Amino acid sequence: MSTPQHCPGYENFKNLKSFVCKCPECGESKEIFSDEFNKDHTCAKCGKPIDFTQCTLDGSA
Ligand SMILES: [Zn+2]
């Protein structure tokens, strides 16, 4: 993972957090960023929608 470049959006970006959510269907991991919480996410592997509210946070993020 690279260090963010300093840019006009940096103040927002530095507060960005991400976590890995596992697909409830197939267990495929997907990294989701905090600014994407209100977007739809689907598993890249099986195409099922991922419901974040049922995801467990991965503390390593
Ligand atoms: Zn899946």
Coordinates of all heavy atoms in Angstrom, one line a residue:
M1 N 0.9 -1.2 0.0 CA 0.0 0.0 0.0 C 0.9 1.2 0.0 O 1.9 1.3 0.7 CB -0.9 0.0 1.2 CG -2.0 1.1 1.2 SD -3.2 0.8 2.5 CE -4.1 -0.6 1.9
S2 N 0.6 2.2 -0.8 CA 1.4 3.4 -1.0 C 1.0 4.5 0.0 O -0.2 4.5 0.4 CB 1.4 3.9 -2.4 OG 0.1 4.2 -2.8
T3 N 1.9 5.4 0.2 CA 1.6 6.6 1.0 C 0.8 7.6 0.2 O 1.1 7.9 -0.9 CB 2.9 7.3 1.5 OG1 3.6 6.3 2.2 CG2 2.5 8.4 2.4
P4 N -0.3 8.1 0.7 CA -1.1 9.1 0.0 C -0.3 10.3 -0.4 O 0.5 10.8 0.4 CB -2.2 9.5 1.0 CG -2.3 8.4 2.0 CD -0.9 7.8 2.0
Q5 N -0.5 10.8 -1.6 CA 0.2 12.0 -2.0 C -0.6 13.2 -1.4 O -1.8 13.2 -1.2 CB 0.2 12.2 -3.5 CG 0.9 11.1 -4.2 CD 2.4 11.1 -3.9 OE1 3.0 12.2 -4.0 NE2 3.0 10.0 -3.6
H6 N 0.2 14.3 -1.1 CA -0.5 15.5 -0.6 C -1.2 16.2 -1.7 O -0.6 16.5 -2.7 CB 0.6 16.4 0.1 CG -0.1 17.4 0.9 ND1 -0.6 18.6 0.4 CD2 -0.3 17.5 2.3 CE1 -1.1 19.3 1.4 NE2 -0.9 18.7 2.6
C7 N -2.4 16.4 -1.5 CA -3.2 17.0 -2.6 C -4.4 17.7 -1.9 O -4.6 17.6 -0.7 CB -3.7 16.0 -3.6 SG -4.9 14.8 -2.9
P8 N -5.2 18.5 -2.7 CA -6.3 19.2 -2.1 C -7.3 18.4 -1.3 O -7.9 18.8 -0.4 CB -7.0 19.8 -3.3 CG -5.9 20.0 -4.3 CD -5.0 18.8 -4.1
G9 N -7.4 17.1 -1.6 CA -8.3 16.2 -0.9 C -7.6 15.5 0.3 O -8.3 14.7 1.0
Y10 N -6.4 15.9 0.6 CA -5.7 15.2 1.6 C -6.3 15.2 3.0 O -6.3 14.2 3.7 CB -4.3 15.7 1.7 CG -3.4 15.0 2.7 CD1 -2.9 13.8 2.5 CD2 -3.1 15.7 3.9 CE1 -2.1 13.1 3.4 CE2 -2.3 15.0 4.9 CZ -1.8 13.8 4.6 OH -1.1 13.2 5.6
E11 N -6.9 16.3 3.3 CA -7.5 16.5 4.7 C -8.6 15.5 4.9 O -8.8 15.0 5.9 CB -8.0 17.9 4.9 CG -6.8 18.9 5.1 CD -5.9 18.5 6.2 OE1 -6.4 18.2 7.3 OE2 -4.7 18.6 6.1
N12 N -9.3 15.2 3.8 CA -10.4 14.2 3.9 C -9.8 12.8 3.8 O -10.2 11.9 4.5 CB -11.4 14.4 2.7 CG -12.2 15.6 2.9 OD1 -12.5 16.0 4.0 ND2 -12.6 16.2 1.8
F13 N -8.8 12.7 2.9 CA -8.3 11.4 2.7 C -7.6 10.8 3.9 O -7.7 9.6 4.1 CB -7.3 11.4 1.5 CG -6.9 10.1 1.0 CD1 -7.7 9.4 0.2 CD2 -5.6 9.6 1.4 CE1 -7.3 8.1 -0.3 CE2 -5.2 8.3 0.9 CZ -6.1 7.6 0.1
K14 N -6.9 11.6 4.6 CA -6.2 11.1 5.8 C -7.1 10.5 6.9 O -6.7 9.8 7.7 CB -5.3 12.2 6.4 CG -6.0 13.2 7.2 CD -5.0 14.2 7.8 CE -5.6 15.2 8.6 NZ -4.6 16.1 9.2
N15 N -8.4 10.9 6.8 CA -9.3 10.3 7.8 C -10.0 9.1 7.2 O -10.8 8.5 7.9 CB -10.4 11.4 8.1 CG -9.8 12.5 8.9 OD1 -8.9 12.3 9.7 ND2 -10.3 13.7 8.6
L16 N -9.7 8.8 6.0 CA -10.3 7.6 5.4 C -9.8 6.3 6.0 O -8.6 6.1 6.3 CB -10.0 7.6 3.9 CG -10.8 6.7 3.0 CD1 -12.2 7.1 3.0 CD2 -10.2 6.8 1.6
K17 N -10.8 5.5 6.3 CA -10.4 4.2 6.9 C -11.0 3.1 6.0 O -12.1 3.3 5.4 CB -11.0 4.1 8.3 CG -10.2 5.0 9.3 CD -10.8 4.9 10.7 CE -10.1 5.8 11.6 NZ -10.6 5.7 13.0
S18 N -10.4 2.0 6.0 CA -10.9 0.9 5.2 C -10.9 -0.3 6.1 O -10.2 -0.4 7.1 CB -10.1 0.7 4.0 OG -8.8 0.2 4.3
F19 N -11.7 -1.3 5.7 CA -11.7 -2.6 6.3 C -12.0 -3.6 5.3 O -12.5 -3.4 4.2 CB -12.6 -2.6 7.5 CG -14.1 -2.5 7.2 CD1 -14.8 -3.6 6.9 CD2 -14.7 -1.2 7.2 CE1 -16.2 -3.5 6.6 CE2 -16.0 -1.1 6.8 CZ -16.8 -2.2 6.6
V20 N -11.7 -4.8 5.7 CA -11.9 -5.9 4.8 C -13.2 -6.7 5.2 O -13.3 -7.1 6.4 CB -10.7 -6.9 4.8 CG1 -11.1 -8.1 3.9 CG2 -9.5 -6.2 4.2
C21 N -14.1 -6.8 4.3 CA -15.3 -7.5 4.6 C -15.3 -8.8 3.8 O -14.9 -8.8 2.6 CB -16.5 -6.6 4.1 SG -18.1 -7.3 4.5
K22 N -15.7 -9.8 4.4 CA -15.8 -11.1 3.7 C -17.2 -11.3 3.1 O -18.2 -11.1 3.8 CB -15.4 -12.3 4.6 CG -13.9 -12.2 4.9 CD -13.5 -13.5 5.6 CE -11.9 -13.5 5.7 NZ -11.5 -14.7 6.4
C23 N -17.3 -11.8 1.9 CA -18.5 -12.1 1.3 C -19.2 -13.2 2.1 O -18.6 -14.3 2.4 CB -18.3 -12.6 -0.1 SG -19.7 -13.2 -0.9
P24 N -20.5 -13.0 2.4 CA -21.2 -14.0 3.2 C -21.5 -15.2 2.4 O -21.8 -16.3 3.0 CB -22.5 -13.3 3.6 CG -22.7 -12.2 2.5 CD -21.3 -11.8 2.1
E25 N -21.4 -15.1 1.1 CA -21.7 -16.3 0.3 C -20.5 -17.2 0.1 O -20.6 -18.4 0.2 CB -22.3 -15.8 -1.1 CG -23.6 -15.2 -1.0 CD -24.7 -16.2 -0.6 OE1 -24.6 -17.4 -1.0 OE2 -25.6 -15.8 0.0
C26 N -19.4 -16.6 -0.3 CA -18.3 -17.4 -0.7 C -17.0 -17.2 0.1 O -16.0 -17.9 0.0 CB -18.0 -17.2 -2.2 SG -17.2 -15.6 -2.6
G27 N -17.1 -16.1 0.9 CA -15.9 -15.9 1.8 C -14.8 -15.0 1.2 O -13.8 -14.8 1.8
E28 N -15.0 -14.6 0.0 CA -14.0 -13.8 -0.7 C -13.9 -12.4 0.1 O -14.9 -11.8 0.4 CB -14.5 -13.5 -2.1 CG -13.5 -12.6 -2.9 CD -12.3 -13.4 -3.4 OE1 -12.2 -14.6 -3.1 OE2 -11.5 -12.9 -4.2
S29 N -12.7 -12.0 0.3 CA -12.4 -10.7 1.0 C -12.6 -9.5 0.0 O -12.1 -9.6 -1.1 CB -11.0 -10.7 1.6 OG -10.9 -11.7 2.6
K30 N -13.2 -8.5 0.5 CA -13.3 -7.3 -0.2 C -12.9 -6.1 0.6 O -13.4 -6.0 1.7 CB -14.7 -7.1 -0.8 CG -14.9 -5.8 -1.6 CD -16.2 -5.8 -2.3 CE -16.4 -4.5 -3.1 NZ -15.5 -4.5 -4.3
E31 N -12.0 -5.2 0.2 CA -11.6 -4.0 0.9 C -12.6 -2.9 0.6 O -12.9 -2.6 -0.5 CB -10.2 -3.6 0.6 CG -9.8 -2.5 1.5 CD -8.3 -2.1 1.3 OE1 -7.8 -2.4 0.2 OE2 -7.7 -1.5 2.2
I32 N -13.2 -2.4 1.7 CA -14.1 -1.3 1.5 C -13.7 -0.1 2.3 O -13.3 -0.2 3.5 CB -15.5 -1.8 2.0 CG1 -16.0 -3.0 1.2 CG2 -16.6 -0.6 1.9 CD1 -17.2 -3.7 1.7
F33 N -13.7 1.1 1.7 CA -13.3 2.3 2.3 C -14.5 3.0 2.9 O -15.6 2.9 2.5 CB -12.6 3.2 1.3 CG -11.3 2.7 0.8 CD1 -11.3 1.9 -0.3 CD2 -10.2 2.9 1.6 CE1 -10.1 1.3 -0.7 CE2 -9.0 2.4 1.1 CZ -8.9 1.6 0.0
S34 N -14.2 3.8 4.0 CA -15.3 4.5 4.7 C -16.1 5.4 3.9 O -17.3 5.7 4.2 CB -14.7 5.2 5.9 OG -13.8 6.2 5.5
D35 N -15.6 5.9 2.8 CA -16.4 6.8 2.0 C -17.2 6.0 1.0 O -17.9 6.6 0.2 CB -15.5 7.8 1.2 CG -14.6 7.2 0.2 OD1 -14.4 6.0 0.2 OD2 -14.1 7.9 -0.7
E36 N -17.1 4.7 1.1 CA -17.9 3.9 0.2 C -19.0 3.2 0.9 O -19.7 2.3 0.4 CB -17.0 2.9 -0.5 CG -16.0 3.5 -1.4 CD -15.0 2.5 -2.0 OE1 -14.7 1.5 -1.3 OE2 -14.7 2.6 -3.2
F37 N -19.2 3.5 2.2 CA -20.1 2.8 3.0 C -21.6 2.9 2.5 O -22.4 2.1 2.8 CB -20.1 3.3 4.5 CG -18.9 2.9 5.2 CD1 -18.7 3.3 6.5 CD2 -18.0 2.0 4.7 CE1 -17.6 2.9 7.3 CE2 -16.9 1.6 5.4 CZ -16.7 2.0 6.7
N38 N -21.8 4.0 1.8 CA -23.2 4.2 1.4 C -23.4 3.8 -0.1 O -24.4 4.1 -0.7 CB -23.7 5.6 1.6 CG -22.8 6.6 0.8 OD1 -21.8 6.2 0.3 ND2 -23.2 7.9 0.8
K39 N -22.4 3.1 -0.6 CA -22.5 2.6 -2.0 C -22.8 1.1 -2.0 O -22.6 0.4 -1.0 CB -21.1 2.9 -2.7 CG -20.8 4.3 -2.8 CD -19.5 4.5 -3.6 CE -19.0 5.9 -3.6 NZ -17.7 6.1 -4.3
D40 N -23.2 0.7 -3.1 CA -23.5 -0.7 -3.2 C -22.2 -1.5 -3.5 O -21.4 -1.0 -4.3 CB -24.5 -1.0 -4.4 CG -25.9 -0.5 -4.1 OD1 -26.2 -0.4 -2.9 OD2 -26.6 -0.1 -5.0
H41 N -22.1 -2.6 -2.9 CA -20.9 -3.4 -3.1 C -21.3 -4.8 -3.4 O -22.2 -5.4 -2.8 CB -20.0 -3.4 -1.9 CG -19.3 -2.1 -1.7 ND1 -18.1 -1.8 -2.3 CD2 -19.7 -1.1 -0.9 CE1 -17.8 -0.5 -1.9 NE2 -18.8 -0.1 -1.1
T42 N -20.6 -5.4 -4.4 CA -20.9 -6.8 -4.8 C -19.6 -7.5 -4.7 O -18.5 -7.0 -5.0 CB -21.5 -6.9 -6.1 OG1 -20.7 -6.2 -7.1 CG2 -22.9 -6.3 -6.2
C43 N -19.7 -8.8 -4.4 CA -18.5 -9.6 -4.4 C -17.9 -9.8 -5.8 O -18.7 -10.1 -6.8 CB -18.9 -11.0 -3.8 SG -17.6 -12.2 -3.9
A44 N -16.6 -9.6 -5.9 CA -16.0 -9.8 -7.2 C -15.9 -11.2 -7.7 O -15.7 -11.5 -8.9 CB -14.6 -9.2 -7.1
K45 N -16.1 -12.1 -6.8 CA -16.0 -13.5 -7.1 C -17.3 -14.2 -7.5 O -17.4 -14.8 -8.5 CB -15.4 -14.3 -5.9 CG -15.0 -15.7 -6.2 CD -14.2 -16.3 -5.0 CE -13.8 -17.7 -5.3 NZ -13.0 -18.3 -4.2
C46 N -18.3 -13.9 -6.6 CA -19.6 -14.6 -6.9 C -20.7 -13.6 -7.3 O -21.8 -14.0 -7.8 CB -20.0 -15.4 -5.7 SG -20.6 -14.4 -4.3
G47 N -20.4 -12.3 -7.2 CA -21.4 -11.3 -7.7 C -22.5 -11.0 -6.7 O -23.4 -10.2 -7.0
K48 N -22.5 -11.7 -5.5 CA -23.5 -11.4 -4.5 C -23.3 -10.1 -3.9 O -22.2 -9.6 -3.7 CB -23.5 -12.5 -3.5 CG -23.8 -13.9 -4.0 CD -25.3 -14.0 -4.2 CE -25.6 -15.5 -4.5 NZ -27.1 -15.7 -4.8
P49 N -24.4 -9.4 -3.5 CA -24.3 -8.1 -2.8 C -23.7 -8.4 -1.4 O -24.0 -9.4 -0.8 CB -25.7 -7.6 -2.8 CG -26.6 -8.7 -3.0 CD -25.8 -9.7 -3.8
I50 N -22.8 -7.5 -1.0 CA -22.3 -7.6 0.4 C -23.0 -6.6 1.3 O -23.0 -5.4 1.0 CB -20.8 -7.3 0.3 CG1 -20.1 -8.4 -0.5 CG2 -20.2 -7.3 1.8 CD1 -18.6 -8.2 -0.7
D51 N -23.5 -7.1 2.4 CA -24.1 -6.2 3.3 C -23.2 -5.9 4.5 O -22.8 -6.7 5.3 CB -25.4 -7.0 3.9 CG -26.1 -6.1 4.9 OD1 -25.7 -5.0 5.2 OD2 -27.2 -6.6 5.4
F52 N -22.8 -4.7 4.4 CA -21.8 -4.3 5.4 C -22.2 -4.4 6.8 O -21.4 -4.5 7.7 CB -21.5 -2.8 5.4 CG -20.9 -2.3 4.2 CD1 -21.7 -2.3 3.1 CD2 -19.7 -1.8 4.2 CE1 -21.1 -1.7 2.0 CE2 -19.2 -1.2 3.2 CZ -19.9 -1.2 2.0
T53 N -23.5 -4.2 7.0 CA -24.0 -4.2 8.4 C -23.8 -5.6 9.0 O -23.9 -5.7 10.3 CB -25.5 -3.8 8.4 OG1 -26.3 -4.8 7.7 CG2 -25.7 -2.4 7.8
Q54 N -23.6 -6.6 8.2 CA -23.4 -7.9 8.7 C -21.9 -8.3 8.7 O -21.6 -9.4 9.0 CB -24.3 -8.9 8.0 CG -25.7 -8.6 8.2 CD -26.7 -9.6 7.6 OE1 -26.3 -10.8 7.5 NE2 -27.8 -9.2 7.1
C55 N -21.1 -7.4 8.3 CA -19.7 -7.6 8.2 C -19.0 -7.5 9.6 O -19.5 -6.7 10.4 CB -19.0 -6.6 7.3 SG -19.4 -6.9 5.6
T56 N -18.0 -8.2 9.8 CA -17.2 -8.0 11.0 C -15.9 -7.2 10.6 O -15.3 -7.5 9.6 CB -16.8 -9.3 11.6 OG1 -16.2 -10.2 10.6 CG2 -18.0 -10.1 12.1
L57 N -15.6 -6.3 11.5 CA -14.4 -5.4 11.2 C -13.2 -6.2 11.4 O -13.0 -7.0 12.3 CB -14.4 -4.2 12.1 CG -15.5 -3.3 11.9 CD1 -15.4 -2.2 13.0 CD2 -15.5 -2.6 10.6
D58 N -12.2 -6.0 10.5 CA -10.9 -6.6 10.6 C -10.0 -5.6 11.2 O -9.7 -4.6 10.6 CB -10.5 -7.1 9.2 CG -9.2 -7.8 9.2 OD1 -8.3 -7.5 10.0 OD2 -9.0 -8.8 8.5
G59 N -9.5 -5.9 12.4 CA -8.7 -5.0 13.1 C -7.4 -4.7 12.5 O -6.7 -3.7 13.0
S60 N -7.0 -5.4 11.5 CA -5.6 -5.2 10.9 C -5.6 -4.0 10.0 O -4.6 -3.5 9.5 CB -5.2 -6.4 10.1 OG -6.0 -6.6 9.0
A61 N -6.8 -3.4 9.7 CA -6.9 -2.3 8.7 C -6.4 -1.0 9.4 O -5.6 -0.6 9.8 CB -8.3 -2.0 8.3
Ligands
ZN1 ZN -18.8 -14.0 -2.9

